[in-house]
Amino acid sequence: MNKIYDNKLVVILFSLVLAIFLFIFVKAERYNNNPVSFFSNINETKIENISEVPVYATGDVDDYYITGIPKTVSVEISGPSSLIDQTLQAKEFKVVTENLANLGEGSHYIQLTLENISKELTYKISPSSVKVDIAKLEAKSYPVEINFNNDQIAPGYEIHKSQVKPNEVTLTGSKENLDKVAHVTVDVSLPQNISTDFQTTAPIIVKDIHGNILNLTSKPNQVTVSVTIGKHGLFKPIHIQIDNKEDGFSYEFTNLSAQQAKLFGDEQVLSSVSSIIGSIDLRGITQTKHLEIPLKLPEGAESIEPQVVEATVIPHPGTEYSQGDSNSPNVSYTSPPQH
């Protein structure tokens, strides 16, 4: 008997058999004391359906615009039950495209595959192939417009000024989509009965001429919108006052950029204003010149829009001025009218 125990190989085999027996005994307890059900569970083939598995693009395609790759797909995995359970627990598998950098521009059908999964398992991806379009990535800057989608301003008030910071954004995508851009806007909803200045942030929306949203990336994708709100304004005619004309010249005025300006402030003050004055000093002007003419804010008014108008002055030598020489009825050599 001692010879048996002295044989190390026999002892090792005996220990191994005993360990397997104990393992089977314990597992059998978990399967209603039925060892057969235990072994059948180890060899059981299982099918697992997984939905919304993310798809990852493969390849260096930073300089390309790619469409057609689904965000997620469904995957069916089949194989030994225990191996599937371990795979699902680890969560290391992922669906990838073939190397897109090797394809170039144009339309292509590509295969989707499952990575980080045991070779003992089989799988089906739905869809298993997709059509993708690859185009060279381009960028272009566009001004941003504000779209107020409600009218909640308090009675007697209105928007005096609105601005966007930054006032333009860079859109990135395919040339085809960039050529379709018709509107780059932000939608702004004002609080109800607002009568004070307002500021908010809003996302960029890019649409084509038919109002369809385009698949383009905006940088930045949000902008800050500031709105200045004040009392209602009144439009008043612009009167240009001319000073220091050169002797021997008459003057023609063309291309006046605005005939009226809008005053803001107390309603009684605004109603007493008959016109808004802009002054031109003609000293030394003997050739055609494009001028910027500042408008004078009447006393008691809060603000004026625009603050400056533009006009072209054409001197005519050798003739004396007559009122008919002016090409604009609101230009005169007289002193400004009394308010």
Side-chain angles (χ1 to χ4, degrees):
M1 188 70 176
N2 290 334
K3 291 182 179 181
I4 296 177
Y5 288 106
D6 290 339
N7 190 324
K8 292 184 178 180
L9 180 59
V10 173
V11 173
I12 292 173
L13 290 175
F14 178 77
S15 300
L16 180 59
V17 171
L18 180 60
I20 293 174
F21 175 78
L22 291 174
F23 175 76
I24 294 173
F25 178 80
V26 173
K27 289 295 184 179
E29 289 292 324
R30 296 179 58 186
Y31 290 90
N32 300 321
N33 298 318
N34 185 356
V36 175
S37 64
F38 164 66
F39 284 109
S40 64
N41 180 264
I42 291 177
N43 297 320
E44 178 185 358
T45 298
K46 182 179 181 180
I47 298 177
E48 188 75 25
N49 291 299
I50 313 165
S51 60
E52 297 184 352
V53 180
V55 179
Y56 297 89
T58 302
D60 184 7
V61 289
D62 291 342
D63 293 333
Y64 292 90
Y65 180 72
I66 301 173
T67 57
I69 300 177
K71 291 183 178 180
T72 62
V73 293
S74 298
V75 177
E76 179 187 283
I77 302 176
S78 59
S81 176
S82 59
L83 191 53
I84 287 182
D85 291 340
Q86 294 176 51
T87 301
L88 296 179
Q89 183 68 28
K91 296 181 180 179
E92 294 178 349
F93 63 88
K94 63 178 181 179
V95 176
V96 298
T97 69
E98 57 186 274
N99 193 327
L100 301 178
N102 299 331
L103 301 180
E105 295 185 65
S107 298
H108 309 272
Y109 282 95
I110 63 170
Q111 297 295 318
L112 304 180
T113 57
L114 194 62
E115 288 188 346
N116 301 333
I117 190 172
S118 171
K119 293 181 179 179
E120 297 181 42
L121 297 176
T122 60
Y123 65 85
K124 294 180 182 178
I125 300 175
S126 181
S128 60
S129 65
V130 293
K131 180 185 178 182
V132 297
D133 293 307
I134 303 177
K136 192 71 174 178
L137 200 63
E138 295 192 10
K140 189 176 180 180
S141 295
Y142 293 85
V144 180
E145 303 172 359
I146 304 174
N147 177 35
F148 293 101
N149 53 21
N150 65 342
D151 186 9
Q152 301 291 343
I153 302 174
Y157 289 82
E158 65 181 7
I159 296 176
H160 286 188
K161 184 180 180 181
S162 60
Q163 61 180 359
V164 180
K165 289 186 178 181
N167 59 8
E168 68 176 23
V169 295
T170 300
L171 300 181
T172 305
S174 66
K175 182 180 184 302
E176 180 183 4
N177 277 345
L178 287 174
D179 290 342
K180 293 179 181 178
V181 174
H183 305 286
V184 180
T185 63
V186 286
D187 287 345
V188 175
S189 296
L190 297 174
Q192 190 170 6
N193 289 324
I194 187 172
S195 60
T196 57
D197 295 349
F198 178 73
Q199 188 177 86
T200 187
T201 58
I204 295 294
I205 301 173
V206 184
K207 295 181 179 180
D208 63 14
I209 194 171
H210 303 295
N212 301 312
I213 295 178
L214 296 172
N215 187 11
L216 293 166
T217 301
S218 173
K219 186 177 182 181
N221 59 4
Q222 287 193 334
V223 293
T224 299
V225 180
S226 301
V227 184
T228 302
I229 295 177
K231 293 182 179 179
H232 275 306
L234 292 177
F235 282 100
K236 299 291 181 176
I238 296 173
H239 185 93
I240 304 301
Q241 176 189 348
I242 299 174
D243 299 317
N244 300 317
K245 80 179 187 72
E246 292 291 331
D247 293 337
F249 283 87
S250 62
Y251 294 89
E252 178 184 357
F253 293 84
T254 62
N255 303 323
L256 191 64
S257 60
Q259 300 288 336
Q260 292 182 317
K262 196 172 188 180
L263 283 179
F264 301 96
D266 182 81
E267 187 174 351
Q268 290 186 344
V269 173
L270 301 186
S271 62
S272 65
V273 177
S274 60
S275 62
I276 297 171
I277 304 303
S279 297
I280 300 178
D281 191 334
L282 297 180
R283 184 184 291 108
I285 296 180
T286 58
Q287 295 182 343
T288 299
K289 189 173 183 179
H290 183 76
L291 299 176
E292 290 187 348
I293 308 168
L295 300 181
K296 183 179 179 181
L297 182 67
E299 185 177 355
E302 295 177 3
S303 61
I304 185 174
E305 182 66 33
Q307 298 179 346
V308 176
V309 294
E310 298 177 355
T312 300
V313 181
I314 305 174
H316 294 285
T319 57
E320 291 298 323
Y321 171 80
S322 67
Q323 183 67 35
D325 293 332
S326 173
N327 198 39
S328 179
N330 57 354
V331 177
S332 74
Y333 287 90
T334 61
S335 299
Q338 300 298 317
H339 297 163

